[in-house]
Structure formats: C-alpha cells, structure tokens
Amino acid sequence: RSKTINSKNVAHRYLTTERGITCELSADIKTAGIYDKVAGKSFPALVAFARNSDGNITGGQRLLLDGKTGTKANVDIARKSFGGISGSFVKISEPNNEKANITIIAEGLETALSVNQSLREHNNIKYITCGTKVLCSLGISNIKNYSPSKAEKIIIAADNDGENVITAKTIENAKAE
C-alpha cells in the first residue's frame, strides 16, 4: 500500500521542513497511511523497507506523522519496526563506481539521509560520492549484523548519545566484530 514520496505528501513535508532533508530518496523509502490501534485512528507515515543481503525486503520501520503539522505524531510509539530487521538494511544510496569500497552505516533513517545529503552536497570530493554506499540499520544493535566484503571499509555514523550509554558500548562491540 505504500506510495512514492512527493511534494504533496506529509512525509515529504516532514523530511524537508522538519529535518532539512532534500536529497533524492531511494525506492525503499515510501509513505503510507497507517492505522494506530492505541490512538484509534490513521496517520500518514514515513516507511523505510529493509532488505537482506539477497535483496529481499524482510521488514522495515514506520514513523507516524501528524497530518496538520508535518511533525512526528503525538502518540505513545510513533516509530516502530516491523518484520525481520536483523541483518537487513535500508539502502539509502548505492555507489556509482564498481570499485566502491566505503560503506557508511547509520542507526536511524534521518541520520542516514543526512549523511547521504551531505556527501552529495560536497560532490567536489568525487571519490567519496561515487564510491560510497549509505545504509540505515534501523537500530544500533543491527549494525554488527552487516557482512562487508574483504576490501570494504565501514564507517559507523553513530548517534552521539553519550559515552556511558548502551549506544557507545554497542558501537564498540560492532567495531570489534
């Protein structure tokens, strides 16, 4: 039921106005109307689909939005994952270069989109923009499940949640793996 995001969607308004994200979106980032049982009504939503290493969609994440303000919906759980996430990632961008060997993995969708936009805005660094893949892990604990190729370099674009929180420890464990 998901649809492509365009200028008429609440998801578009959320990304551009609330987050300042104007880069091109991958085909795995869509919008849909989703019914929330707790709130007892439907909301527009930003939906990101995660794919496994075979390219199959296994799950994803939805973010319920307020149709009037274009912000996150004021519900108990606005962001929720669905399906199987472990080992699957949202493809934000693919490299234009067959010899690409840099992959940036961000925890959240908005962070991954911001990283992608920043790379594209600084296109004078052609190797980086042509040779970089950007992925979203849909959660900090999933980063360790990425299986890089031998020559692939991984950059973890972690949220700065502080040194003494579980995020920092999870990132250290993912780096070690």
Side-chain angles (χ1 to χ4, degrees):
R1 297 178 296 140
S2 63
K3 297 177 181 158
T4 302
I5 294 174
N6 63 46
S7 62
K8 296 176 183 174
N9 307 128
V10 175
H12 180 270
R13 189 167 25 136
Y14 168 74
L15 290 172
T16 58
T17 305
E18 290 299 309
R19 295 306 195 129
I21 297 168
T22 58
C23 63
E24 186 175 326
L25 302 175
S26 77
D28 290 336
I29 302 169
K30 304 270 190 184
T31 187
I34 297 179
Y35 182 79
D36 184 71
K37 290 179 186 177
V38 176
K41 65 179 188 175
S42 291
F43 293 89
L46 176 65
V47 183
F49 295 101
R51 295 179 183 270
N52 63 16
S53 58
D54 294 328
N56 298 316
I57 294 173
T58 61
Q61 191 175 77
R62 56 86 161 150
L63 174 62
L64 299 180
L65 302 170
D66 183 308
K68 292 179 184 169
T69 66
T71 59
K72 286 184 193 177
N74 187 17
V75 295
D76 288 340
I77 303 172
R79 188 180 309 271
K80 186 176 182 180
S81 295
F82 56 87
I85 301 298
S86 183
S88 295
F89 299 84
V90 180
K91 291 182 182 180
I92 304 300
S93 69
E94 287 287 341
N96 299 348
N97 184 336
E98 289 180 18
K99 296 179 183 179
N101 65 345
I102 299 172
T103 297
I104 300 173
I105 305 173
E107 175 183 352
L109 180 63
E110 293 90 332
T111 301
L113 288 169
S114 295
V115 166
N116 184 54
Q117 181 167 314
S118 296
L119 287 173
R120 273 56 195 164
E121 286 176 355
H122 295 89
N123 61 8
N124 57 334
I125 310 170
K126 290 191 192 251
Y127 178 76
I128 292 176
T129 58
C130 293
T132 304
K133 175 173 31 175
V134 180
L135 300 173
C136 171
S137 66
L138 296 178
I140 195 70
S141 60
N142 192 32
I143 291 175
K144 71 180 186 299
N145 296 320
Y146 183 71
S147 298
S149 65
K150 277 189 174 185
E152 193 173 3
K153 294 175 177 79
I154 305 297
I155 298 171
I156 298 173
D159 293 350
N160 186 8
D161 295 333
E163 289 183 25
N164 296 322
V165 295
I166 195 164
T167 300
K169 292 175 184 133
T170 305
I171 289 297
E172 287 305 314
N173 292 339
K175 283 178 13 185
E177 284 194 38

